[in-house]
Amino acid sequence: MYSIRKRLLFTLITVQLVAGILAAWAAFHSAENEFNAFLDNELQQAATAMAAHAHVAPADLTPASGGPEHRILLQIYESSSNALYLSEEKIQPLPVLEKKGFSTILHDGSEWRVYAIASGSRIIEAGQPASIRTNLAAGASLRILQPMLFLLPISAVL
C-alpha cells in the first residue's frame, strides 16, 4: 500500500520530468527556427553579394575563411562558358538548381539548405549543410537548459 507522501513525490517528479522534456523540445525548436532565419539571411546575402560583383571573373574570387560552424559553399555556374567556380574544392559541386530562391536538397549524402539567384548568364548558389544548423540549435538550447538539468535532481531529492 502506497502512502500519500510517496504518491505526491512520484507525481511531482513525473510532472517536473515531463515539463523538462517539453521545455527542452520547445527550446530546441525555437532556437532552430531562429538559427534557420538568421542563416537563410546569411545565404541570401552571400549570393546577392556575388551577383553584385558580376564583372569579376569567378576564378579571381578568393573564398573567405570562416569557422566550420558557419561554412557556406559558394558556387557560380557560368552558362555561356559552361564554367563552374566553387569556394571549397574539397566539396562536390552542388547541382545547378533551376528554382531560384531557397531550397532544401540532398547533396553528397546529407541535407543542404541552398539559395540560388540568377545574374545575367550566371547562376549563383550559396549552400550550407543542415547539420550545421541543427548543431548550433542543439548547442544553444542545451546552454539555455543547463540550469534546469541541475535543478531537476536537486528538487527531486529535496
Side-chain angles (χ1 to χ4, degrees):
M1 187 162 172
Y2 291 108
S3 69
I4 291 175
R5 180 179 285 171
K6 286 183 182 178
R7 285 185 193 176
L8 285 174
L9 180 61
F10 177 75
T11 302
L12 179 64
I13 291 171
T14 303
V15 166
Q16 284 185 331
L17 187 60
V18 169
I21 291 170
L22 289 175
W25 179 82
F28 173 76
H29 284 288
S30 176
E32 187 176 43
N33 288 337
E34 291 295 322
F35 277 111
N36 281 338
F38 174 75
L39 294 173
D40 277 354
N41 187 35
E42 198 174 61
L43 288 178
Q44 187 175 12
Q45 286 180 1
T48 305
M50 284 290 113
H53 293 89
H55 61 281
V56 178
D60 295 337
L61 297 173
T62 305
S65 59
E69 67 276 1
H70 294 293
R71 183 180 76 199
I72 292 178
L73 174 66
L74 287 171
Q75 175 174 295
I76 302 172
Y77 173 71
E78 179 70 56
S79 61
S80 62
S81 63
N82 205 23
L84 184 69
Y85 165 77
L86 286 172
S87 61
E88 290 188 40
E89 296 173 0
K90 300 174 188 174
I91 297 176
Q92 293 292 323
L94 295 168
V96 178
L97 300 175
E98 293 182 21
K99 177 186 170 218
K100 305 306 171 225
F102 289 103
S103 300
T104 302
I105 63 169
L106 188 64
H107 172 65
D108 208 20
S110 61
E111 193 174 282
W112 281 64
R113 184 75 168 158
V114 178
Y115 181 79
I117 188 171
S119 176
S121 62
R122 292 181 176 176
I123 297 175
I124 301 164
E125 295 175 344
Q128 185 175 54
S131 61
I132 289 174
R133 296 162 175 249
T134 304
N135 292 341
L136 286 170
S141 59
L142 183 61
R143 284 188 298 278
I144 291 169
L145 294 171
Q146 270 180 338
M148 186 183 297
L149 292 175
F150 293 117
L151 289 177
L152 279 174
I154 290 171
S155 66
V157 168
L158 292 176

